[in-house]
Amino acid sequence: MPTNQPSIIGESLPRLRLPEALTGEAKFVADIKLPGMLHGKVLRSPYAHARIAAIDAGAAARLPGVHAVLTPNDAPHGRVAPDMPILDTEVRFVGDEVAAVAAEDEETAQGALGLIEVEYQPLPFVTDARFALEQGAPPVHAGGNLVGGKPLTLARGDVDEGFAQADRIFEETFTTPAHSPASLEPRVAIAAWEADRLTVWKASRGVHMDQRSLAMALEIPHETIRVICPHMGAGYGGKDETRLAVLAAVLAQRARRPVKIELTREEEIVAGRTRHATVTTVKVGVKNDGAITAIHATTIMDTGAYIASGPGVVRRAGQGALYLYRCANVRYDGYLVYTNRPAAGSYRALGAPQGHFALEATMDKIALELGIDPLEFRLRNHVGLEGQPGRRTTPDDQILDSQPVEGGVPFSSNGLRQCLEEGARAIGWQARQRPQGSGPDPIKRGVGMSMFLYRGGPGAPSRARLRLDPDGTVELVTGIVDVGEGASTVLAQMAAAELGVAYDRIRVSAADTASTPVAPITAGSTVTFSSGLAVRQAASELKSRVIEAAAGMLELEPHQLELIDGSVTTRAAPRRAIDLAEVAQRTVESPLEVEASVMPGSRDSVVNSFGAHFAEVEVDTGTGQVRVLRYVAAHDSGVIINPALATNQVEGGVGQMLGFTLTEEIVTDGRTGATLNGSFLEHKCPTILDVPDIEVIFVDVVDPVGPFGAKALGEPPCVGVAPTIVNAIYDAIGIRIHDLPVTPDRILNAIQLNERG
């Protein structure tokens, strides 16, 4: 930690609201019970694609205990998203919403669903994104299966010229599956009306975004809607982008009673939001000495039946190819494709894990075929502090994109080289045995690595409010949602550090549209950076206000005073002081309160986080089983505000993505479109027994743009896991796996194919 930082920055202070979470006192949405609350259930499509020719809900409505029924024929005409009405007469995947009911209890509601008679006209469907792009493929939506009608194309320089300069050209294709975020808390929403005002409690990553979405769907002023998110049972980005809250709101309005809808685990996996499945081809031109002359990556991304956050995900899948390696000639083509599969959406790190997997596995192959150590290849070619070659295209007075394409702009900070070097030392890279997979023993060991970059935190305009309360505590009011990563703790820590007060004197109020300033969603690893800047600015302004007030009380000039350890004191005579509580009491009729608003980012540099991961694996060539023995994760996220929380983020991200790499996949039956593994029994997430010892390294980097020198950390740990492990598997058995997850069957099949030649 830099010596000029407040001592509280860099301390592992206890997480806010942790005791109540550990003791079971924390109230999640599912724990809320309102007077007269009904239970909602959703009827789901048995077809991958069909038109609802007729629907009769009369018997369901007459069932004793049923208070409201909603069908496409009587649903409001608003839209949850541009391609998603509240209910539709066309269903687009097995599990799509057909109708909804609200009843006195869940059993009655479930029974009512069985009484709804639906006449379906099955339609042709498509479950493969590549086939969906072919001429004559069944259209999932009017207008074709390629979202937007054309691919997203981003380029710098001239890739054709770059390939012409190459001594060798490599081209590889990789696939990644859809898989569920698998939050312990399934989606749940409660809606209650009071006259024309609506209150919704829901698991959310952005209550203000939900407020706007509900207003759009229900076609009512957003000021009449209140959205509250209490404790979250993990977010991972995947708790939004569905019809759930809107259906609860409409049912509650019709029943004139509160309604709760809570998804089952199967519904969460099937009808929640998944990670996007991808097919990515990476083509790279290199000189014989390893210098890169051109990179062209193409991703076909399956967004499923609805677009959700797909455009942002397909964009981020290309960032590694565009910017991780120093190269003047790059191109990325991203195809976002509708299919009749469960809809994909936001999931931690969005498309970066898919794109970096393909890129880093390809670069590993290139290094080895050129006879260059994979670490040395990356040390020679990684993007440096100066950024990419080329010319800046963003006007000088505009904030630079944190996912740039252009060259000619530096990074605000770049610790990628330190990550590579320190991670390599920790894993013992230079001391590893060669060749790893030699010998007759069926158990082979290998070591692999990868590197990555990720947007560093700048996001939408951010606000924070700070108020000195009569008891001398400071209330931090923010609209962001702590989705489980500890954002509230880090923001409170920043406020305390800037103010010069103890951490336990900061109280946080958040995630309630009725009492908090408008805030962006908790997404894109932006909260620490963007909200942190707003909190620090508000704290600085409140500190000045407090000192000004105390100056009048002490009959001194403000420049003679400072706020230290919760007291305003004189620089020359420290014994002459006034406590913050006394300042609060004497200003109670005109409370000291400030609200700061910032547009985060930089006009001079790109803000990115970086990392390098290393792993040692063991592969049993007899069973195909892969075991990760050791894992080293080296990260540049600037100054680490709370080391314990930061370490948890990295360990959690690595553990989560072991599933993406080795076991997790949502399996769709191509004949019916049905999801075949809608439970934790078949959708196999890693257990604690599968997670190795993880050594976390934070390199010593201070970002001059971020608050207290900090940058993003929440999502970067997810990016490097798949390529690191797959490269280690290659080191062990000499076979490169191109398709995730790397199940034992895939290992054994690859070995058999290799033996056949």
Side-chain angles (χ1 to χ4, degrees), residues 16 49-50 109 336 390 462 468 481 483 496 508 517 523 531 545 556 572 660 668:
L16 294 177
H49 198 190
L336 187 65
S462 297
L468 180 60
V481 176
V483 297
V508 178
S531 295
R545 294 274 305 276
L556 294 169
F660 171 68
T668 301

Side-chain angles (χ1 to χ4, degrees), residues 175-258:
T175 69
T176 68
H179 69 128
S180 170
S183 303
L184 287 179
E185 175 194 38
R187 280 170 176 75
V188 56
I190 299 172
W193 292 83
E194 187 173 340
D196 61 350
R197 304 192 70 85
L198 169 66
T199 300
V200 171
W201 295 261
K202 73 181 293 287
S204 169
R205 61 182 176 142
V207 291
H208 292 277
M209 177 193 71
D210 282 328
Q211 182 190 46
R212 294 191 297 272
S213 298
L214 283 161
M216 178 181 70
L218 300 173
E219 299 178 319
I220 60 177
H222 76 274
E223 297 89 353
T224 64
I225 302 172
R226 180 184 183 186
V227 181
I228 305 167
C229 178
H231 280 272
M232 279 275 282
Y236 309 133
K239 282 287 176 69
D240 304 296
E241 304 164 345
T242 67
R243 294 178 165 113
L244 184 68
V246 175
L247 294 178
V250 176
L251 288 171
Q253 188 175 43
R254 296 190 176 179
R256 299 174 184 256
R257 287 171 61 176

Side-chain angles (χ1 to χ4, degrees), residues 66-136:
V66 171
H67 292 264
V69 179
L70 181 66
T71 74
N73 295 336
D74 55 16
H77 296 299
R79 303 186 78 81
V80 178
D83 61 354
M84 182 186 286
I86 293 175
L87 285 176
D88 201 350
T89 54
E90 188 171 329
V91 288
R92 294 178 171 86
F93 71 96
V94 175
D96 205 353
E97 291 89 354
V98 174
V101 302
E104 292 287 346
D105 52 60
E106 291 186 71
E107 292 75 14
T108 302
Q110 189 66 46
L113 295 184
L115 298 176
I116 300 175
E117 297 181 3
V118 185
E119 180 184 338
Y120 296 98
Q121 292 180 348
L123 299 170
F125 64 92
V126 56
T127 59
D128 185 285
R130 286 169 288 192
F131 178 63
L133 288 174
E134 294 182 3
Q135 187 173 5

Side-chain angles (χ1 to χ4, degrees), residues 242-495:
T242 67
R243 294 178 165 113
L244 184 68
V246 175
L247 294 178
V250 176
L251 288 171
Q253 188 175 43
R254 296 190 176 179
R256 299 174 184 256
R257 287 171 61 176
V259 171
K260 176 168 76 172
I261 304 178
E262 181 177 2
L263 299 191
T264 65
R265 177 57 55 187
E266 181 178 10
E267 286 180 303
E268 177 66 27
I269 292 176
V270 171
R273 290 294 178 264
T274 70
R275 190 180 295 281
H276 292 74
T278 61
V279 180
T280 299
T281 298
V282 178
K283 182 179 179 182
V284 182
V286 293
K287 294 289 192 180
N288 289 326
D289 64 359
I292 299 171
T293 63
I295 301 173
H296 183 195
T298 302
T299 292
I300 298 172
M301 180 170 283
D302 187 345
T303 196
Y306 299 102
I307 190 173
S309 55
V313 181
V314 76
R315 167 66 179 85
R316 203 164 301 182
Q319 193 56 37
L322 290 167
Y323 233 74
L324 181 59
Y325 287 86
R326 185 174 58 254
C327 184
N329 306 297
V330 297
R331 178 184 170 113
Y332 170 67
D333 295 303
Y335 294 77
L336 187 65
V337 185
Y338 283 122
T339 66
N340 294 110
R341 296 183 64 183
S346 298
Y347 185 179
R348 195 174 181 183
L350 302 182
Q354 299 98 307
H356 278 78
F357 164 56
L359 176 70
E360 284 295 87
T362 300
M363 292 301 186
D364 225 58
K365 176 177 180 176
I366 292 170
L368 293 170
E369 294 214 7
L370 293 177
I372 303 172
D373 180 271
L375 173 63
E376 176 61 27
F377 180 81
R378 290 172 172 88
L379 288 170
R380 292 184 194 178
N381 288 294
H382 73 77
V383 65
L385 180 64
E386 72 282 357
Q388 291 289 352
R391 181 178 60 86
R392 173 172 176 157
T393 57
T394 300
D396 291 341
D397 61 346
Q398 289 186 16
I399 291 176
L400 287 156
D401 193 342
S402 59
Q403 295 182 116
V405 178
E406 66 198 285
V409 291
F411 291 100
S412 56
S413 60
N414 183 335
L416 183 51
R417 192 172 195 86
Q418 294 99 304
C419 291
L420 289 165
E421 292 172 343
E422 294 190 30
R425 277 194 294 270
I427 200 73
W429 183 265
Q430 300 301 340
R432 70 195 194 284
Q433 297 178 359
R434 296 191 181 91
Q436 293 287 325
S438 60
D441 194 322
I443 306 296
K444 312 293 184 184
R445 287 194 175 187
V447 179
M449 63 162 297
S450 73
M451 66 180 187
F452 52 88
L453 83 173
Y454 199 80
R455 59 179 300 178
S462 297
R463 296 176 179 85
R465 185 186 306 144
L466 285 172
R467 180 174 59 247
L468 180 60
D469 287 339
D471 61 357
T473 61
V474 176
E475 185 175 14
L476 165 57
V477 184
T478 172
I480 65 99
V481 176
D482 188 326
V483 297
E485 84 285 29
S488 296
T489 302
V490 169
L491 295 180
Q493 204 164 337
M494 289 183 180

Side-chain angles (χ1 to χ4, degrees), residues 595-666:
E595 182 170 317
S597 177
V598 301
M599 183 62 201
S602 171
R603 293 177 175 82
D604 303 314
S605 54
V606 175
V607 183
N608 271 195
S609 293
F610 300 89
H613 284 192
F614 299 78
E616 181 179 11
V617 304
E618 184 178 85
V619 183
D620 187 330
T621 57
T623 66
Q625 193 70 39
V626 176
R627 189 160 69 98
V628 182
L629 304 176
R630 288 193 301 148
Y631 203 97
V632 174
H635 282 258
D636 163 27
S637 287
V639 171
I640 301 302
I641 306 298
N642 188 308
L645 288 181
T647 300
N648 289 344
Q649 282 294 292
V650 177
E651 292 174 340
V654 172
Q656 189 170 41
M657 297 306 284
L658 288 176
F660 171 68
T661 307
L662 297 174
T663 60
E664 294 181 30
E665 178 180 13
I666 292 180

